[in-house]
């Protein structure tokens, strides 16, 4: 167990060092996708390596993905309002967004965090700058921007910019290449 912890600590510290050298001063986080039976060890390794462990489990924060949006008649606004209604004041709502337009709708609906998922490095920089300038500086809305999806030690520097609040990647704690799949609702 000690060796596994040291491995997660070392990976976390290494990736954090890499983004700090690239000028990133905000939060570097792991993801919820941990090795079965090792979540506590991996999350602790992230913490002592200087990274944020992100959500511990599904109850820590409500994350709305495409299936949740689809279940609310393809409306991000409806999905955010529904999540806020059942989650109460203490649970943050994050929306996984595939475009700047989706992120804007989520922010206007009251999402606490928008995740720019699977954007290119340049796409992240353009969208995050635009959202922060228009909705935070222009309208005074409070929200965080998270970037995730396909980030690795090799490419994470290309996503670094001051307008991104959180960079999250499973490469901190998933050393073995894995098959990335999801269970989509067929409609």
């Amino acid at each position: 167990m000690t060796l596994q912890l040291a491995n997660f600590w070392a990976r976390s510290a290494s990736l954090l060092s890499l983004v700090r050298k690239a000028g990133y001063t905000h939060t570097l986080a792991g993801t919820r996708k941990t090795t079965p039976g090792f979540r506590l060890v991996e999350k602790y390794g992230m913490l002592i390596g200087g990274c944020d462990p992100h959500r511990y489990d599904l109850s820590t924060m409500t994350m709305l993905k495409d299936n949740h949006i689809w279940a609310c008649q393809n409306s991000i606004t409806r999905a955010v309002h529904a999540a806020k209604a059942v989650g109460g004041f203490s649970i943050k709502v994050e929306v996984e967004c595939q475009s700047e337009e989706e992120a804007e709708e989520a922010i206007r609906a009251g999402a606490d965090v928008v995740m720019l998922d699977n954007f290119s490095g340049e796409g992240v920089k353009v969208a995050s700058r635009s959202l922060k300038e228009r909705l935070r500086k222009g309208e005074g809305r409070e929200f965080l921007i998270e970037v995730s999806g396909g980030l690795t030690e090799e490419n994470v520097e290309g996503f670094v910019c001051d307008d991104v609040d959180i960079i999250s990647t499973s490469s901190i704690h998933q050393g073995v290449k894995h098959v990335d799949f999801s269970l989509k609702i067929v409609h």
Side-chain angles (χ1 to χ4, degrees):
M1 194 69 88
T2 305
L3 288 175
Q4 287 93 341
L5 179 60
N7 187 28
F8 301 128
W9 164 78
R11 263 198 234 142
S12 297
S14 174
L15 194 54
L16 184 61
S17 176
L18 185 68
V19 297
R20 293 291 185 250
K21 284 179 186 171
Y24 188 68
T25 60
H26 302 293
T27 303
L28 177 64
T31 68
R32 189 184 53 79
K33 301 170 188 169
T34 55
T35 307
F38 284 93
R39 178 166 291 161
L40 188 59
V41 173
E42 291 179 14
K43 294 290 187 177
Y44 185 62
M46 287 179 224
L47 278 172
I48 63 175
C51 295
D52 188 285
H54 209 284
R55 299 182 298 160
Y56 180 74
D57 57 28
L58 293 174
S59 70
T60 311
M61 177 172 47
T62 301
M63 181 175 290
L64 301 175
K65 297 172 93 47
D66 56 356
N67 281 337
H68 304 108
I69 307 302
W70 174 79
C72 290
Q73 301 169 338
N74 278 328
S75 170
I76 291 172
T77 301
R78 281 190 178 126
V80 170
H81 290 172
K84 291 276 191 182
V86 298
F89 71 92
S90 65
I91 301 294
K92 286 186 178 183
V93 173
E94 179 168 8
V95 180
E96 188 177 273
C97 302
Q98 305 301 317
S99 68
E100 183 180 339
E101 294 74 24
E102 287 182 0
E104 181 173 348
E105 181 181 350
I107 293 163
R108 291 187 183 285
D112 302 290
V113 183
V114 291
M115 177 192 289
L116 305 181
D117 191 36
N118 293 311
F119 277 54
S120 68
E122 188 58 32
V124 162
K125 292 172 183 176
V126 169
S128 62
R129 184 179 316 112
S130 173
L131 291 165
K132 291 279 180 90
E133 285 179 4
R134 291 183 301 107
L135 300 175
R136 181 174 284 165
K137 293 175 185 168
E139 297 181 19
R141 295 182 182 268
E142 290 297 320
F143 59 92
L144 297 173
I145 295 178
E146 177 178 350
V147 173
S148 193
L151 303 177
T152 65
E153 288 182 26
E154 291 78 29
N155 70 6
V156 72
E157 290 181 61
F159 293 84
V160 169
C161 71
D162 285 338
D163 295 310
V164 171
D165 301 295
I166 305 135
I167 294 175
S168 62
T169 176
S170 59
S171 69
I172 290 174
H173 50 85
Q174 291 182 341
V176 177
K177 298 293 182 203
H178 60 282
V179 176
D180 189 6
F181 70 95
S182 63
L183 301 173
K184 300 290 183 195
I185 297 173
V186 178
H187 50 88

